[in-house]
Amino acid sequence: MTDSALRTQVGIIGAGPAGLLLAQILHLHGIDSIIIEAQSRPHIESRVRAGLMEHDSCQQMRDAGIGARMDREGLVHEGIILRFAGHSHRIPLTELTGRRVTVYGQQEVVKDLIAARLATGRPLFFEAPAIAIENTDTPKIHFRHNGTEKTILCDFIAGCDGFHGPSRASIPAHRMKIFERVYPFGWLGILAESPPASHELVYASHPGGFALLSMRSPRISRLYLQCAPDENLADWSDARIWDELDTRLADRESTPLPRGPILQKGITPLRSFVAEPMRHHRLFLLGDAAHIVPPTGAKGLNLAFADVHVLARAFTAWYQDNEADGLETYSATALRRVWQAERFAWWMTTLMHRFDNHSPFEARMQEAELDYLTSSKAGMTTIAENYVGLRLL
Ligand code: FAS
Ligand code: PHB
């Protein structure tokens, strides 16, 4: 059964960081949108994903009027630590760049954005999957909600539906160029009720594999271990996870990690992926719908925000000044930052992880590069300026 059609200016598929922030910024500029989200609200507010916000992403949250809780509860960081060969090397991010990063979980970002959206009174449909996309001069999105099929009539479609969503899939393959690198490992991530053993993030390169110490609050740790891409989570008892984290994150001064109940664990495959271009007629791709980065560079969420920055500016110029240039150049502008982030995430991943097919020479090259980077101001600066986020927009 089909209800009557809904009319808006921008139809947004997906209520992740990209879709929600785009809707919020458009609303602030008087541009109407409708958001449809396949999952339930509790599901997307509890999904444990990204944790680190770049300098400019935090400013975007403030400019969009939703930065207050982040500024209250987020953990501002001015450095990160690279750990290898039993020693720790601090990269003084703020001293080198004048910018800082903030640890604020993606689920908190999403909660803040959903609350802002609901306060506008404009539509945000949960459990409402898009089932068909008509990318024509009169774009339509067909979706299912409460057992009925509905249609959105809009001027433009924002495909913010992530890596597995229908937006990119709706584009004919011959109209796209795909760039992809699938890594021969994944990350086993845990969220634990235990105080972080370090005030700053620790990226560890160890013969047994990469490990990352992050956090969500002074009482909640977020930790990751490099693992096989097809790792069976059932093979990893809590004790085995903690033991392996202790081994890989140890340095001469450190003590074993404080342990606590593991609240969530999961395995994420690592890939680099870009679909070009990011615009097809009236459909614009944003965030994971267009690109994926290995989380080593902490770029995924931040790239989604950067795409929003470019497209929201373009829509505002179109609707307020009838200017089409921003829409025409969206893909090229967004892709410049996408490729810079892809390079950094690929480079950090290649530098810090163990590769079974590495020769002894290549393993030495990794060690020598880490030694150079952490003993050179130029080396530390290149890490720092990419990590806090490049000013490309
Ligand atoms: P999202 O995937 O967040 O959102 C897309 C939304 O579209 C989803 O809510 C989905 O339900 C919805 N959708 C899909 N199909 C639909 C349909 N047919 N109709 C309607 N809605 C539909 N990044 C980091 O920086 N650090 C990390 O540590 C990190 N860890 C991650 C762990 C996992 C398991 C995953 C999957 C990703 C991780 N990421 C990480 C990357 C992640 O944070 C993304 O970059 C970020 O969520 C991108 O935001 P969106 O582009 O909005 O996509
Ligand atoms: C996280 O806190 O989840 C996190 C932080 C930095 C990364 C990846 C994940 O590079």
Side-chain angles (χ1 to χ4, degrees), residues 14 16-18 37-39 47 49-50 106 130 160-161 166 224 287-288 300-301:
E37 165 55 49
Q39 301 290 346
R47 230 171 9 195
R49 281 187 165 173
Q106 178 170 323
C160 304
D161 44 335
Y224 298 94
D288 280 17
L301 169 64

Side-chain angles (χ1 to χ4, degrees), residues 113-188:
L113 283 164
I114 287 174
R117 177 62 178 184
L118 297 178
T120 68
R122 295 306 296 143
L124 163 50
F125 294 108
F126 291 105
E127 297 173 81
I131 50 179
I133 293 166
E134 291 184 43
N135 182 10
T136 64
D137 290 344
T138 52
K140 294 182 185 67
I141 305 169
H142 303 283
F143 68 101
R144 193 173 298 115
H145 186 240
N146 291 340
T148 62
E149 287 199 15
K150 296 181 170 71
T151 299
I152 297 170
L153 308 176
C154 47
D155 301 334
F156 301 101
I157 301 170
C160 304
D161 44 335
F163 187 65
H164 300 290
S167 291
R168 192 179 70 249
S170 75
I171 299 160
H174 71 275
R175 298 275 311 281
M176 256 190 307
K177 188 161 178 51
I178 300 294
F179 302 83
E180 186 165 24
R181 166 104 162 83
V182 177
Y183 296 90
F185 39 74
W187 279 16
L188 189 163

Side-chain angles (χ1 to χ4, degrees), residues 49-52 187 201 203 212 214 216 222 224 295-298 387:
R49 281 187 165 173
L52 192 115
W187 279 16
L201 273 70
Y203 290 78
L212 169 61
S214 183
R216 289 293 178 271
R222 177 68 165 152
Y224 298 94
T296 327
Y387 196 85

Side-chain angles (χ1 to χ4, degrees), residues 156-305:
F156 301 101
I157 301 170
C160 304
D161 44 335
F163 187 65
H164 300 290
S167 291
R168 192 179 70 249
S170 75
I171 299 160
H174 71 275
R175 298 275 311 281
M176 256 190 307
K177 188 161 178 51
I178 300 294
F179 302 83
E180 186 165 24
R181 166 104 162 83
V182 177
Y183 296 90
F185 39 74
W187 279 16
L188 189 163
I190 66 168
L191 198 68
E193 200 169 316
S194 69
S198 164
H199 293 300
E200 295 180 325
L201 273 70
V202 179
Y203 290 78
S205 173
H206 183 276
F210 170 80
L212 169 61
L213 181 158
S214 183
M215 69 286 292
R216 289 293 178 271
S217 77
R219 288 169 305 286
I220 301 287
S221 292
R222 177 68 165 152
L223 296 141
Y224 298 94
L225 282 172
Q226 173 184 344
C227 65
D230 57 353
E231 193 72 52
N232 182 352
L233 207 48
D235 295 342
W236 285 83
S237 67
D238 291 6
R240 184 186 173 199
I241 292 172
W242 285 115
D243 291 345
E244 192 59 25
L245 284 166
D246 272 338
T247 302
R248 298 187 193 178
L249 284 164
D251 72 354
R252 301 223 185 306
E253 296 82 43
S254 70
T255 55
L257 297 167
R259 299 189 180 193
I262 294 181
L263 308 172
Q264 186 267 356
K265 60 173 97 164
I267 289 175
T268 303
L270 265 62
R271 83 175 70 232
S272 298
F273 177 95
V274 180
E276 287 189 3
M278 291 170 57
R279 176 195 182 179
H280 296 269
H281 196 39
R282 297 292 185 95
L283 169 64
F284 293 84
L285 300 178
L286 297 88
D288 280 17
H291 41 71
I292 295 286
V293 281
T296 327
K299 292 298 164 203
L301 169 64
N302 296 295
L303 264 187
F305 271 31

